[in-house]
Amino acid sequence: MNYKRLLLCLLTGYTLASTSASAYQELQPPHEYDKVSKELVEMLEAIHYNRPHIDDAISEKAFDYYIDSLDPSKSFFLKSDIDKLSQYKDSFDDALRNGDTQVAYTIYNLFLERLEKRLTSLQSKLPEMVKGFNFELDESFNADPEARKWATTEAELDDYWRKRLKNRALTLKLNGENQDKIISILEKRYKNQLKQVDQTNATDVFQTFANSVTAALDPHTTYFAPRASEAFNINMSLSLEGIGAVLQMDDDYTKVVRLIPGGPAATQSDLSPNDRIIAVGQEGKPMIDVVGMRLDDVVDMIRGERDTTVKLEIAPSKGDTQASKTISIVRKKVKLEDQSAKKEIVEIERDGEKYKVGVITLPTFYSDFAAIQAGEKNYKSSTRDTKKLIEELRKEDISALILDLRNNGGGSLQEANALAGLFIPSGPTVQIRDQSGRVTPLGDLDKSIAYSGPMAVLVNRMSASASEIVAGALQDYGRALILGNQTFGKGTVQVLQDLDKGQLKVTQAKFYRISGESTQHKGVMPDIIFPSLIDKKAIGESALKNPLPWDKIHETRYPIYWNMPAYLPILEPRHEARMAKDPNFIAINEQIAEFKKQEYMYRNISLNEKTRIKQREENKANDLKRENERRKALGLDLLTSVEDIKPVEEDTYAKEASEILLDFIATNQMAQAQAKKKTAQN
């Protein structure tokens, strides 16, 4: 037995095995995972990018992550529990290294005791509490766990739960549910949560514990127990029918992390990252509340046969976050053609002349590996498809080109290098630094260029990984203006390693631009910024816990084709002036201001029914007014209902990017004319 662990148990007053008569079943370490535990330490110390030594410093971070994974909303533990459990801060490293993870189960079993006591008590009192709620009182509820501190007394925690329950009851009431239905829904939610805990097994706890240690290294290093490993591999291959969304647990809610480009959710609905799923329904059947349900069970409900419809009731991350809405999505398998590059032409009129700007939208960096292995000559790839579309656009006599990488989360590194090579002669596009410090430049060896004219790359906060490599390379070469928003900042490389049981996804290398700057954490900063509805504080590498830092290595040798920063003093003011008059951009900026206001309200949710109704009606009136002002300015028919509002057209950004490119062309021509004139005079 680990002496350090035994001593800590004695210090905290907790026993290694419970003699409690409680109904819950204590969990104990599965000894078949003792070997996995030791393997994890060996592998992390050997191949993780930072070559860490799993010591007390990492253990202390892991302790905090473990507590947060168990009780993220600070709903069950008291401060006195945390103070006592803090005696274990320095024992996580020893537990993993020695293959004796009892400490994780001692902490978990206390959490289980607190949770069962709380939820069992709540269920017995719930009908009486709901019937006794006075929605005329002026009080508020803070729903932001980051702003909360651990309750110091049971009475303080009781009051938090009272307000939490009252908020959920009021939300359901405002959504049209009667008192009996409200009680039924809430009882089901807490039964789900208890059921979720009952279904948690020793392997689940081991996985949570192991991932508290990996999270102390970086957010992308993750241990997958066998069932989770299977689900991860399914998601990577996209081989099951679903909605094309990556989901994770957030307290007792299922939250949308990101949408798969070209997938059903991205193309059929207005589902967004950070939206929370409240209920799931099958075609022709009633909705089932999924708050408190296990993530894998929710995923199983969302998956289904191709071409069938699934209904989702969601609490949106933007706008009125206390109101829910129901959306329908037809299940499809995400096919390669759904993610293929597409082209369009934006026409801009200036001084009586019409100019054409080509736009190529690339949702992901793809390659049909099966077709390549089969020896097919005409296999699909993002580079080949983009090159073909460029040839078609050049026949249309375009003046400039836009590569739209918004919402492109990455894909094949080989394709990213080849695609960047369509716009430059052969040369490096990215540098990769491994855990030994060795730097390997990668690039394009093909000297041919598909397009050498003026171009821009559109990016946003969801542009990640391979997208950032392409955008960063074209910015460094001075080949393209980068327009939009700061990108995600995913500048690390992960590999999958098999373990005795399950798999380890471990960060093993880091991406660097040819300028030497990392894309990690910082991402790619645009030359000219566009307004965005995506909150970079909530989404992106910097929004994750414990991301690897930005840094810089030596630059490589590369030419600069256009000195883009020299053009910005002319291009930026014109861009700002156009946006100030453009009805679409005016509406977007007003919407951003409204979201920031809602963010404050999330931390101060009113529990007064009249106040909430007033806020909801004001939000609807403001949304309708904003949309009708936009439509009036554009000469469109006005709307009478907020439900008829559709997202602002995506081509707003492409149109403004086209205007910027035409400004660039005009400025460049003027500079060349002045240079010729000066040369002639000399």
Side-chain angles (χ1 to χ4, degrees):
M1 177 177 285
N2 185 302
Y3 174 78
K4 184 176 180 182
R5 175 177 59 80
L6 176 61
L7 176 61
L8 289 171
C9 288
L10 292 172
L11 285 170
T12 56
Y14 299 131
T15 57
L16 299 182
S18 173
T19 57
S20 169
S22 174
Y24 75 90
Q25 182 65 48
E26 284 198 343
L27 297 179
Q28 297 300 326
H31 292 297
E32 62 269 26
Y33 280 80
D34 293 351
K35 181 180 178 181
V36 179
S37 180
K38 295 176 182 179
E39 280 182 325
L40 274 169
V41 174
E42 292 171 3
M43 198 167 287
L44 290 171
E45 292 186 336
I47 67 172
H48 187 275
Y49 179 77
N50 279 344
R51 287 288 183 93
H53 177 62
I54 309 299
D55 56 11
D56 284 355
I58 287 174
S59 178
E60 289 174 9
K61 278 187 178 180
F63 172 84
D64 291 336
Y65 289 136
Y66 188 58
I67 295 294
D68 186 60
S69 67
L70 295 178
D71 192 3
S73 58
K74 302 181 178 68
S75 304
F76 301 102
F77 282 133
L78 290 171
K79 186 177 184 300
S80 56
D81 292 325
I82 302 302
D83 290 342
K84 287 180 180 179
L85 292 174
S86 293
Q87 301 281 341
Y88 291 96
K89 272 183 176 285
D90 294 336
S91 64
F92 278 38
D93 54 326
D94 299 326
L96 205 62
R97 191 179 300 279
N98 298 332
D100 181 1
T101 57
Q102 177 65 54
V103 59
Y105 295 83
T106 302
I107 295 173
Y108 177 79
N109 287 331
L110 177 66
F111 165 71
L112 190 58
E113 183 182 336
R114 297 287 187 262
L115 180 143
E116 191 207 38
K117 180 182 177 183
R118 171 65 57 182
L119 294 188
T120 303
S121 172
L122 187 68
Q123 281 190 318
S124 66
K125 299 174 183 176
L126 194 147
E128 179 186 345
M129 289 176 69
V130 172
K131 290 175 183 177
F133 284 145
N134 181 356
F135 296 120
E136 294 181 0
L137 291 178
D138 285 326
E139 58 180 349
S140 62
F141 172 67
N142 185 348
D144 184 2
E146 298 295 326
R148 293 189 64 239
K149 294 182 179 179
W150 294 104
T152 56
T153 64
E154 287 287 351
E156 187 182 340
L157 201 54
D158 288 345
D159 190 57
Y160 162 77
W161 273 97
R162 178 187 66 81
K163 289 184 176 179
R164 175 170 169 163
L165 193 65
K166 187 175 182 181
N167 176 54
R168 290 185 171 178
L170 180 54
T171 300
L172 290 168
K173 184 181 182 185
L174 293 175
N175 287 341
E177 306 292 357
N178 62 38
Q179 192 175 82
D180 289 341
K181 188 67 182 292
I182 290 170
I183 292 171
S184 174
I185 289 173
L186 293 177
E187 283 181 329
K188 183 69 182 293
R189 286 184 181 180
Y190 294 118
K191 281 180 183 175
N192 282 344
Q193 201 167 353
L194 277 170
K195 182 182 177 184
Q196 177 181 341
V197 172
D198 288 340
Q199 292 174 341
T200 299
N201 57 41
T203 302
D204 295 328
V205 176
F206 178 84
Q207 179 176 267
T208 302
F209 170 69
N211 281 327
S212 69
V213 177
T214 62
L217 304 181
D218 79 277
H220 301 291
T221 296
T222 308
Y223 168 69
F224 300 107
R227 184 179 179 187
S229 177
E230 180 185 354
F232 174 76
N233 291 330
I234 287 171
N235 284 333
M236 290 299 287
S237 66
L238 301 175
S239 61
L240 286 188
E241 315 303 336
I243 63 170
V246 177
L247 309 173
Q248 71 178 32
M249 286 304 294
D250 181 22
D251 197 4
D252 50 356
Y253 285 94
T254 299
K255 185 177 77 172
V256 179
V257 179
R258 65 183 177 90
L259 305 181
I260 305 298
T267 57
Q268 298 177 22
S269 72
D270 55 355
L271 192 68
S272 302
N274 283 346
D275 286 352
R276 294 178 297 171
I277 299 174
I278 297 172
V280 179
Q282 310 305 326
E283 198 168 9
K285 295 182 180 180
M287 302 288 284
I288 297 174
D289 195 278
V290 297
V291 179
M293 200 177 280
R294 280 178 66 105
L295 176 63
D296 41 20
D297 289 336
V298 178
V299 170
D300 286 344
M301 291 172 66
I302 293 173
R303 286 192 181 127
E305 293 184 13
R306 182 184 303 188
D307 296 328
T308 59
T309 299
V310 62
K311 294 186 294 181
L312 303 179
E313 182 186 350
I314 61 169
S317 58
K318 301 183 182 76
D320 186 356
T321 57
Q322 297 307 305
S324 66
K325 62 180 179 180
T326 301
I327 60 175
S328 296
I329 302 174
V330 178
R331 299 177 177 101
K332 299 281 186 182
K333 183 174 180 178
V334 182
K335 299 177 183 177
L336 197 58
E337 52 264 35
D338 296 329
Q339 299 185 315
S340 296
K342 296 175 177 61
K343 70 174 173 68
E344 64 175 313
I345 289 177
V346 175
E347 290 192 354
I348 304 291
E349 188 171 333
R350 285 195 174 190
D351 301 324
E353 283 191 58
K354 284 189 177 180
Y355 298 86
K356 293 179 181 179
V357 176
V359 181
I360 294 178
T361 302
L362 190 64
T364 187
F365 290 89
Y366 56 88
S367 186
D368 191 345
F369 295 112
I372 294 171
Q373 290 173 349
E376 295 181 20
K377 292 183 179 180
N378 296 318
Y379 64 88
K380 285 183 69 64
S381 83
S382 50
T383 303
R384 294 175 73 152
D385 291 350
T386 300
K387 185 177 182 181
K388 181 182 177 183
L389 294 178
I390 288 172
E391 291 168 356
E392 292 174 5
L393 288 169
R394 289 179 66 181
K395 291 177 182 177
E396 295 275 351
D397 195 26
I398 58 171
S399 300
L401 178 70
I402 297 168
L403 179 63
D404 190 349
L405 298 181
R406 286 175 298 169
N407 304 315
N408 183 322
S412 166
L413 175 60
Q414 180 181 345
E415 283 297 314
N417 287 324
L419 191 129
L422 295 178
F423 310 106
I424 57 170
S426 60
T429 56
V430 66
Q431 303 182 82
I432 301 177
R433 185 181 187 273
D434 64 21
Q435 73 272 26
S436 68
R438 182 179 58 205
V439 177
T440 304
L442 298 179
D444 174 58
L445 301 177
D446 186 354
K447 292 185 178 181
S448 64
I449 300 175
Y451 181 77
S452 60
M455 65 178 293
V457 179
L458 264 175
V459 293
N460 66 3
R461 190 61 166 170
M462 300 304 293
S463 305
S465 195
S467 292
E468 297 175 288
I469 289 172
V470 171
L474 296 182
Q475 187 177 51
D476 289 338
Y477 275 106
R479 261 305 282 122
L481 284 162
I482 309 302
L483 310 176
N485 309 103
Q486 181 181 7
T487 59
F488 193 95
K490 170 70 165 63
T492 54
V493 183
Q494 285 73 40
V495 295
L496 273 176
Q497 297 285 339
D498 289 330
L499 297 171
D500 184 58
K501 293 184 184 300
Q503 293 177 302
L504 176 67
K505 177 166 68 81
V506 58
T507 297
Q508 202 171 39
K510 212 170 176 183
F511 288 131
Y512 292 85
R513 294 164 59 159
I514 56 175
S515 64
E517 294 187 13
S518 173
T519 56
Q520 169 60 20
H521 201 292
K522 183 179 177 181
V524 177
M525 300 300 292
D527 297 310
I528 295 177
I529 296 173
F530 283 23
S532 174
L533 299 175
I534 301 174
D535 182 5
K536 71 177 184 179
K537 291 185 294 182
I539 295 175
E541 189 78 5
S542 59
L544 301 176
K545 291 181 178 178
N546 199 37
L548 293 184
W550 177 90
D551 63 342
K552 191 173 181 179
I553 60 173
H554 290 297
E555 66 177 7
T556 59
R557 295 182 64 181
Y558 60 94
I560 296 177
Y561 297 101
W562 272 302
N563 180 15
M564 294 300 188
Y567 292 85
L568 299 184
I570 296 173
L571 302 183
E572 282 184 307
R574 294 180 182 178
H575 163 65
E576 294 290 342
R578 274 192 301 270
M579 284 203 305
K581 296 177 182 177
D582 188 304
N584 288 324
F585 280 113
I586 291 170
I588 290 168
N589 281 316
E590 288 178 354
Q591 205 171 352
I592 292 169
E594 184 64 26
F595 289 165
K596 288 180 179 178
K597 179 182 172 184
Q598 294 292 337
E599 186 182 333
Y600 167 78
M601 290 172 64
Y602 177 68
R603 293 191 291 270
N604 298 274
I605 299 171
S606 174
L607 300 179
N608 181 291
E609 184 175 5
K610 289 181 179 178
T611 300
R612 284 272 280 275
I613 291 173
K614 182 182 177 184
Q615 289 172 346
R616 182 172 292 189
E617 293 307 313
E618 285 178 351
N619 289 338
K620 287 183 178 180
N622 288 336
D623 289 347
L624 190 60
K625 179 185 175 186
R626 180 174 59 245
E627 174 62 9
N628 279 334
E629 285 176 350
R630 183 184 77 87
R631 297 178 74 85
K632 183 178 179 181
L634 293 171
L636 302 173
D637 293 336
L638 302 187
L639 302 179
T640 57
S641 172
V642 71
E643 279 72 29
D644 295 329
I645 297 176
K646 303 295 182 185
V648 174
E649 291 82 354
E650 281 293 306
D651 63 3
T652 300
Y653 296 87
K655 182 176 181 296
E656 175 56 24
S658 301
E659 295 278 10
I660 292 171
L661 278 172
L662 292 181
D663 284 342
F664 170 76
I665 292 169
T667 305
N668 186 54
Q669 289 174 342
M670 188 180 296
Q672 288 179 341
Q674 289 175 346
K676 285 181 181 179
K677 185 177 179 181
K678 189 174 181 180
T679 302
Q681 289 174 345
N682 292 336

